[in-house]
Each structure stands twice: as structure tokens, then as C-alpha cells.
Amino acid sequence: MDTSAKDLKEKADRANPDHKEGPVASAIENYTSKIPSDIFLWAALGSMAISATLKIMRKDEEALFVGQWAPSFLLLGNYNKMIKLSGYETDK
């Protein structure tokens, strides 16, 4: 590791020695930890179904827009699951 990268790492370690989350991340985790993981899966499947329906109705731009929500829902669900498994509630 070169000197500048080492200095940057040491500075980052000193900035947050307890590795605590900031207030925004804590608020998001507090809210999302209460949401069942199934909700995100159903939201993704729903957006795919709506997208397919819009495509059949020849509303291509709307179908593409709604279809692009699915990965975001799945990513939020993954984040939600990671927060729950990492013991968010016990970390407070």
C-alpha cells in the first residue's frame, strides 16, 4: 500500500473508530428492518407483471420504465435481509 493510501486509511479509521452508522443510514435501517422481506420480492414480481402487461398493450416506454423497478426492489430486499441478519437491533 503506498503512503497516500495508507494515510487515507488511517484517517478514515480515526474518523469512525467504533464503525457506527450515520444518522441517515440508522434511520433507513430502523424503518426497513420492520418490513418483511417478502414485500420486496412481491414488489419486484409485480413490477415485472405490470411491465409485461404494458408491453402487451404496446406501451413500450411505460413497460420499460416499470420493468426497471424490479432490480431496485430486489436490491432493497437484499439490503433489508442483510440488516436483519447482521443483527441491526442488537447493534444499537
Side-chain angles (χ1 to χ4, degrees), residues 6-87:
K6 186 176 181 181
D7 292 341
L8 186 59
K9 183 186 178 319
E10 289 173 1
K11 188 182 282 188
D13 288 341
R14 285 191 306 270
N16 189 6
D18 297 329
H19 303 287
K20 295 283 184 180
E21 292 292 347
V24 173
S26 292
I28 291 170
E29 290 168 5
N30 183 36
Y31 180 74
T32 60
S33 67
K34 298 173 186 172
I35 301 172
S37 298
D38 289 359
I39 297 296
F40 296 103
L41 180 59
W42 285 111
L45 291 172
S47 71
M48 289 186 282
I50 292 169
S51 176
T53 302
L54 289 168
K55 186 71 173 171
I56 290 168
M57 297 170 59
R58 299 187 192 275
K59 296 186 176 188
D60 293 342
E61 290 182 13
E62 292 86 348
L64 183 60
F65 176 70
V66 173
Q68 290 177 346
W69 296 350
S72 299
F73 288 133
L74 293 173
L75 185 61
L76 287 169
N78 189 27
Y79 180 77
N80 181 40
K81 184 62 88 174
M82 287 183 349
I83 294 303
K84 288 178 180 180
L85 292 177
S86 70

